[in-house]
Amino acid sequence: MRWIYVQELLDPQDGSAPVPDSGSDAGKTVRDRRFYDERGLERVIFFSDAVFAIAMTLLALEIRLPLLPDTVSNGELLAALGSIWPRYLSYGISFLAIGTSWIAHQRLFRTVCCYDRRLMLLNIVFLMCISFLPFPTSVIGEYGETAVATILYAASMAVASSMSALLWWYVNGQGRLVEQPLPPAEFRRGALQKLWTPAVFLLSIPLALWSPIAAMFSWMLVGARAFWY
Amino acid sequence: MRWIYVQELLDPQDGSAPVPDSGSDAGKTVRDRRFYDERGLERVIFFSDAVFAIAMTLLALEIRLPLLPDTVSNGELLAALGSIWPRYLSYGISFLAIGTSWIAHQRLFRTVCCYDRRLMLLNIVFLMCISFLPFPTSVIGEYGETAVATILYAASMAVASSMSALLWWYVNGQGRLVEQPLPPAEFRRGALQKLWTPAVFLLSIPLALWSPIAAMFSWMLVGARAFWY
Amino acid sequence: MRWIYVQELLDPQDGSAPVPDSGSDAGKTVRDRRFYDERGLERVIFFSDAVFAIAMTLLALEIRLPLLPDTVSNGELLAALGSIWPRYLSYGISFLAIGTSWIAHQRLFRTVCCYDRRLMLLNIVFLMCISFLPFPTSVIGEYGETAVATILYAASMAVASSMSALLWWYVNGQGRLVEQPLPPAEFRRGALQKLWTPAVFLLSIPLALWSPIAAMFSWMLVGARAFWY
Amino acid sequence: MRWIYVQELLDPQDGSAPVPDSGSDAGKTVRDRRFYDERGLERVIFFSDAVFAIAMTLLALEIRLPLLPDTVSNGELLAALGSIWPRYLSYGISFLAIGTSWIAHQRLFRTVCCYDRRLMLLNIVFLMCISFLPFPTSVIGEYGETAVATILYAASMAVASSMSALLWWYVNGQGRLVEQPLPPAEFRRGALQKLWTPAVFLLSIPLALWSPIAAMFSWMLVGARAFWY
């Protein structure tokens, strides 16, 4: 008896037997696996929005002038502004990359009808990857000519987009958290689509060993694809 | 067959034939061009709000004292606080500029009834311009006496306000995403109004070559106009 | 005719004649002075929330260790952590000060039923004051022993809380934007209450000339009052 | 008469006699203790979300490369990236720690039906602790091998999670702000659970005196527990 109590204390929501899904607003008690309350789901969504927005806006903090004398001529300032062009580029690439990732998140959660604890945790791990991205962006903005900086960036993006794919899979697999489960064919197609972005970033890693610039151009094509369609 | 599949994989939402607009809540399937779900639109809006708010608040990070000794007299601290007056000024100007831009965004989305993927992407590119603004603000706060800093600022603001105009045009053109299309006369008038801000900033560029201070004063008049009416 | 057109272009919402208030959901056309749409008002509110939240969280960025060698002993690190105690204090004071200001904002907007352009602009100017506060906080955290730092802080807080009072007055004066106008006695009482905080901060300015520490203690009493009641 | 007026001015919401709880939407007047308006509660919630999101995203700002020469070889950059591994670790730990704290906050407020001024203040003090966490994270990322850094971190987390427990107790105690009061047994169990996290962090403090690494591993187990159940 005592032992069961401690067990429950440690993992109060565990339950290996499948909980019958009542399908209605049964989210009132703490023990349920799935919650259908609108306000709770909105919090998950708006919290994610805030993390996305902050990560994107913090990218701009990496655009900084090198140290200049207190009074500069027009020519010197212009030269300094020009010398940091890789930072503009990396800002633009990362902003659009996180932005399209946000769009995918928005599209995914449009179909979500309920949530559970695992979704929240997966979402937080995904957001941890997103909010990490300003760091590789800053590295590539400063040392973009090196293969290592390019590979760090590609690897970070590959991990983040894999987490996005995992989130998609968790929500849609077995129609777990959606109102209407996807037909099997669409589910397979969607899964393939979600693997497109990590695949491109993974494939750009060997490319970067040969030419970092070529790898960066391959990412811009991903962005362009997201933009035009 | 295989080829079509890959095509669909690449651009699942393409469709050159015009999709008939059912005008009702048909936003349930992924393939639709326009989405009418309230929650999805709210995300677009609150995400934008967050980016605006962060960009505005980050402006304050640029207000920094120069390096001082560990213990200062009252006079030294007062002198140091006074010496960074251009940073207060640039903070105020940029905060109000982004703030009025936010008001325009708010006013625009008040009329929006639905959204599509292109709106989201245009909005993200617009937010990319907004979130870039702390950088020219910091440059003008440090080197405001140079024409180059002034021109960088004016050009950034011109680009950002042009994007705002483009967003307005995309939403209202052909009554694309609004409940009630504007009458042609009001549409023309609105478009002219939206071009007012980029025009002022563009015109201030040659002015800055002659006198950076004069150019900055011309912007304050834009702000004042937005403020009083 | 042409001239009138330009006039309208410049200030499309001007109208010196009082606009009859229909009192109903007449917020559909752009020309109206007051807007009753729920979503628009929510944006004003959540945008303010975001600015408050960011300004408060950025305060923590000012808590930084002095430059230490790469490997430190426990004693050295403890001494360094202790040496920055004024930064903990200023963080706490400012966080609670902005926090109580947020509570006042929340309480005010609970009664607001509609908004107009002037409210949005007043609100933005108010937020500009709030988002400026991390700067005096950082100054007082570093040079808190000087009268100048203390006065800068008190003056900034006095301006911010005056703006808060102005906002309160604008919303409630003549029952402008509330559902039920306050009775005259409560309006006068509320206005007096709103002037309490700026008054305390203004009065602490001469106190700071005599003793900065005494001035800081007087603020803590304000915070304590807000906390306990 | 005059004195009473001043008293009311100072603490307009004081009232030592218990206010009868009408249980209905009586939140219209300022004097009530509990407010049931949906919008006001949402503000408290979304404001908290924003603070959580910003604190978590700011953690990434602490991941910074050491100062390197302007052009580096691949090997040098790789070595530099490797040398800051404690910063990746502290980022991950803190992100997940604040994230699980957010989940607890979300779960708590799912049951909240109304709010009062004390809840708002407790919530703000709790958020002050959360938004302080990037500082110990940065200290432990730089001086993680010292016991002092580890203890600072553990103490900060213990305080933050105690505040979370206090918030839980305030909401649920005597069924104060929830729709359906918890049965006494569940209340006791929940209180015990809430004390689990501060207890672990407190117990890791003596452990850190013996071995900082062991203490950090004990926290990861807390995180793992939250993750898997």
Side-chain angles (χ1 to χ4, degrees):
Chain A
M1 192 70 175
R2 172 79 184 135
W3 177 242
I4 287 167
Y5 178 77
V6 171
Q7 269 303 99
E8 279 182 329
L9 187 68
L10 284 174
D11 41 355
Q13 294 188 319
D14 184 65
S16 29
V19 175
D21 183 15
S22 66
S24 68
D25 183 28
K28 289 274 170 64
T29 70
V30 181
R31 298 278 166 131
D32 275 347
R33 296 205 136 233
R34 297 186 203 164
F35 302 98
Y36 290 82
D37 58 310
E38 188 68 17
R39 202 210 281 161
L41 186 54
E42 270 187 353
R43 272 195 84 169
V44 177
I45 288 172
F46 288 140
F47 175 73
S48 308
D49 282 357
V51 172
F52 273 106
I54 302 157
M56 286 162 83
T57 319
L58 288 184
L59 293 171
L61 290 187
E62 298 303 330
I63 309 177
R64 262 191 303 256
L65 280 181
L67 214 61
L68 295 174
D70 267 11
T71 50
V72 296
S73 70
N74 276 320
E76 286 166 332
L77 185 55
L78 199 58
L81 286 171
S83 73
I84 55 171
W85 66 265
R87 292 187 172 272
Y88 308 131
L89 192 65
S90 63
Y91 169 72
I93 293 178
S94 287
F95 201 99
L96 293 180
I98 307 185
T100 49
S101 174
W102 174 77
I103 290 182
H105 195 269
Q106 197 261 11
R107 195 198 290 189
L108 173 62
F109 273 82
R110 207 158 50 204
T111 64
V112 166
C113 67
C114 55
Y115 63 100
D116 59 9
R117 203 168 149 77
R118 277 195 179 80
L119 177 74
M120 287 202 279
L121 284 161
L122 277 177
N123 194 40
I124 279 176
V125 174
F126 169 56
L127 294 174
M128 184 168 73
C129 300
I130 290 292
S131 128
F132 180 75
L133 293 176
F135 174 63
T137 303
S138 118
V139 173
I140 212 173
E142 197 145 1
Y143 307 107
E145 71 284 359
T146 63
V148 166
T150 317
I151 290 172
L152 172 71
Y153 190 89
S156 307
M157 289 300 302
V159 170
S161 49
S162 302
M163 278 304 307
S164 173
L166 183 58
L167 209 57
W168 187 92
W169 170 84
Y170 184 72
V171 164
N172 284 298
Q174 303 161 42
R176 205 175 271 115
L177 302 173
V178 290
E179 220 163 301
Q180 301 173 347
L182 288 179
E186 266 201 62
F187 179 73
R188 275 195 305 275
R189 187 181 303 180
L192 265 173
Q193 260 183 270
K194 293 300 292 181
L195 291 176
W196 176 260
T197 314
V200 169
F201 279 108
L202 278 180
L203 288 173
S204 78
I205 290 181
L207 194 60
L209 288 174
W210 172 67
S211 159
I213 296 292
M216 290 173 79
F217 269 100
S218 74
W219 310 335
M220 291 178 82
L221 291 174
V222 182
R225 177 197 150 229
F227 195 86
W228 294 118
Y229 301 109
Chain B
M1 191 72 173
R2 172 80 186 134
W3 178 241
I4 288 167
Y5 178 78
V6 171
Q7 269 303 98
E8 279 181 329
L9 187 69
L10 285 174
D11 40 356
Q13 294 188 318
D14 184 64
S16 29
V19 174
D21 183 16
S22 67
S24 68
D25 183 26
K28 288 271 169 66
T29 69
V30 181
R31 298 278 167 131
D32 275 347
R33 295 206 136 232
R34 297 186 203 164
F35 302 98
Y36 289 82
D37 59 310
E38 188 66 18
R39 201 210 282 161
L41 186 54
E42 271 187 353
R43 273 195 83 169
V44 177
I45 288 172
F46 288 138
F47 175 73
S48 309
D49 282 357
V51 172
F52 272 106
I54 302 157
M56 287 162 83
T57 319
L58 288 184
L59 293 170
L61 290 187
E62 298 303 331
I63 309 177
R64 263 192 303 256
L65 281 180
L67 214 60
L68 294 174
D70 267 11
T71 50
V72 296
S73 70
N74 276 320
E76 285 166 334
L77 185 54
L78 198 59
L81 285 171
S83 73
I84 54 171
W85 65 266
R87 291 185 174 273
Y88 308 131
L89 192 64
S90 64
Y91 169 73
I93 293 179
S94 287
F95 202 99
L96 293 180
I98 307 187
T100 49
S101 174
W102 174 78
I103 291 181
H105 194 268
Q106 197 261 11
R107 193 198 292 189
L108 173 61
F109 273 82
R110 208 157 50 206
T111 62
V112 167
C113 68
C114 54
Y115 63 100
D116 59 10
R117 201 167 150 77
R118 277 197 178 78
L119 177 74
M120 286 202 279
L121 285 161
L122 277 177
N123 193 41
I124 279 176
V125 174
F126 169 57
L127 294 175
M128 184 168 73
C129 300
I130 291 291
S131 129
F132 180 75
L133 293 176
F135 174 64
T137 303
S138 118
V139 173
I140 212 173
E142 197 145 1
Y143 307 107
E145 71 284 0
T146 62
V148 167
T150 317
I151 291 172
L152 172 71
Y153 190 89
S156 306
M157 290 299 302
V159 170
S161 48
S162 302
M163 278 304 307
S164 173
L166 182 58
L167 209 57
W168 187 91
W169 171 83
Y170 184 72
V171 164
N172 284 298
Q174 302 162 42
R176 206 174 271 115
L177 302 173
V178 290
E179 220 162 301
Q180 300 173 348
L182 289 178
E186 266 202 62
F187 179 74
R188 274 195 306 276
R189 186 181 304 181
L192 265 172
Q193 261 182 269
K194 294 298 293 182
L195 290 176
W196 176 259
T197 314
V200 168
F201 279 108
L202 278 179
L203 289 173
S204 79
I205 290 180
L207 193 61
L209 288 173
W210 172 66
S211 158
I213 297 292
M216 289 173 79
F217 268 100
S218 75
W219 310 335
M220 290 178 81
L221 291 174
V222 182
R225 176 196 149 231
F227 195 86
W228 294 118
Y229 301 108
Chain C
M1 192 72 174
R2 173 78 186 138
W3 179 239
I4 288 167
Y5 179 79
V6 170
Q7 270 302 101
E8 280 182 327
L9 187 68
L10 284 174
D11 42 355
Q13 295 188 318
D14 184 64
S16 29
V19 175
D21 182 16
S22 67
S24 68
D25 183 25
K28 288 272 170 66
T29 69
V30 182
R31 297 279 167 131
D32 276 346
R33 295 206 136 231
R34 296 184 204 166
F35 302 98
Y36 290 83
D37 59 309
E38 187 68 17
R39 200 211 284 160
L41 186 54
E42 271 187 353
R43 273 195 83 169
V44 177
I45 287 172
F46 288 139
F47 175 73
S48 309
D49 282 357
V51 172
F52 272 107
I54 302 157
M56 286 162 84
T57 319
L58 288 184
L59 292 171
L61 290 187
E62 298 303 330
I63 309 178
R64 263 190 303 255
L65 282 180
L67 213 60
L68 294 175
D70 267 10
T71 49
V72 296
S73 70
N74 276 319
E76 285 167 333
L77 186 54
L78 198 59
L81 285 170
S83 74
I84 55 171
W85 66 265
R87 291 186 173 273
Y88 309 131
L89 192 65
S90 64
Y91 169 72
I93 293 179
S94 287
F95 201 98
L96 293 179
I98 307 187
T100 49
S101 174
W102 174 78
I103 291 181
H105 194 269
Q106 197 261 10
R107 194 197 291 190
L108 173 62
F109 274 82
R110 209 157 49 206
T111 63
V112 166
C113 67
C114 54
Y115 63 100
D116 60 8
R117 201 167 151 78
R118 275 195 180 79
L119 177 74
M120 287 201 279
L121 285 160
L122 277 178
N123 194 41
I124 279 176
V125 173
F126 169 57
L127 294 174
M128 185 168 73
C129 299
I130 291 292
S131 129
F132 180 75
L133 293 176
F135 174 64
T137 303
S138 119
V139 172
I140 211 174
E142 197 145 359
Y143 308 106
E145 71 283 0
T146 63
V148 167
T150 317
I151 291 172
L152 171 70
Y153 190 89
S156 306
M157 289 299 303
V159 170
S161 48
S162 303
M163 277 305 307
S164 173
L166 183 58
L167 209 57
W168 186 91
W169 170 84
Y170 184 71
V171 164
N172 285 297
Q174 302 161 43
R176 207 176 269 114
L177 301 173
V178 291
E179 221 161 301
Q180 301 173 346
L182 288 179
E186 266 201 62
F187 179 74
R188 273 194 308 274
R189 184 181 306 181
L192 265 173
Q193 258 183 272
K194 295 297 294 180
L195 290 176
W196 176 259
T197 313
V200 169
F201 279 107
L202 278 180
L203 288 174
S204 78
I205 289 180
L207 194 60
L209 287 173
W210 171 67
S211 158
I213 296 292
M216 289 173 80
F217 269 100
S218 75
W219 310 334
M220 289 178 83
L221 292 173
V222 182
R225 178 197 147 229
F227 195 86
W228 294 118
Y229 301 107
Chain D
M1 191 70 174
R2 172 75 186 140
W3 178 241
I4 288 166
Y5 178 79
V6 170
Q7 269 303 99
E8 280 181 328
L9 187 67
L10 285 174
D11 41 357
Q13 294 188 317
D14 185 65
S16 30
V19 175
D21 183 15
S22 67
S24 67
D25 184 27
K28 289 272 170 66
T29 69
V30 182
R31 297 278 166 133
D32 276 347
R33 295 207 136 231
R34 297 187 203 163
F35 301 98
Y36 290 82
D37 59 310
E38 186 67 18
R39 202 210 283 161
L41 186 54
E42 271 188 351
R43 273 195 83 168
V44 176
I45 287 172
F46 288 139
F47 175 73
S48 309
D49 281 358
V51 172
F52 273 106
I54 301 157
M56 286 161 84
T57 319
L58 287 183
L59 292 171
L61 289 186
E62 298 303 330
I63 309 177
R64 261 191 304 257
L65 282 180
L67 213 61
L68 294 174
D70 268 11
T71 49
V72 295
S73 71
N74 275 319
E76 285 166 333
L77 186 53
L78 199 57
L81 286 170
S83 73
I84 56 172
W85 66 265
R87 291 185 173 273
Y88 307 131
L89 192 64
S90 64
Y91 169 72
I93 292 178
S94 288
F95 201 98
L96 293 180
I98 307 185
T100 49
S101 174
W102 174 78
I103 290 181
H105 195 268
Q106 197 261 10
R107 195 197 288 190
L108 173 61
F109 273 82
R110 207 157 51 204
T111 63
V112 166
C113 67
C114 55
Y115 63 100
D116 59 8
R117 201 168 150 76
R118 276 194 180 80
L119 177 73
M120 287 202 279
L121 285 161
L122 277 177
N123 194 40
I124 279 175
V125 174
F126 169 56
L127 294 174
M128 185 168 73
C129 300
I130 290 291
S131 128
F132 180 75
L133 293 177
F135 174 64
T137 302
S138 118
V139 173
I140 211 174
E142 197 144 2
Y143 307 106
E145 71 283 0
T146 63
V148 167
T150 316
I151 290 172
L152 171 70
Y153 190 89
S156 306
M157 289 300 302
V159 170
S161 48
S162 303
M163 277 304 307
S164 173
L166 183 58
L167 208 57
W168 186 92
W169 170 83
Y170 183 72
V171 164
N172 284 298
Q174 303 161 42
R176 207 174 271 113
L177 301 173
V178 291
E179 221 161 301
Q180 300 173 349
L182 288 179
E186 266 201 62
F187 179 75
R188 275 195 305 276
R189 185 181 306 180
L192 265 173
Q193 260 182 270
K194 294 299 291 181
L195 290 176
W196 176 259
T197 313
V200 169
F201 279 108
L202 278 179
L203 288 174
S204 78
I205 290 180
L207 194 60
L209 288 173
W210 172 67
S211 159
I213 295 292
M216 289 173 80
F217 269 100
S218 74
W219 309 336
M220 290 178 81
L221 291 173
V222 183
R225 178 197 147 230
F227 195 86
W228 293 117
Y229 301 108

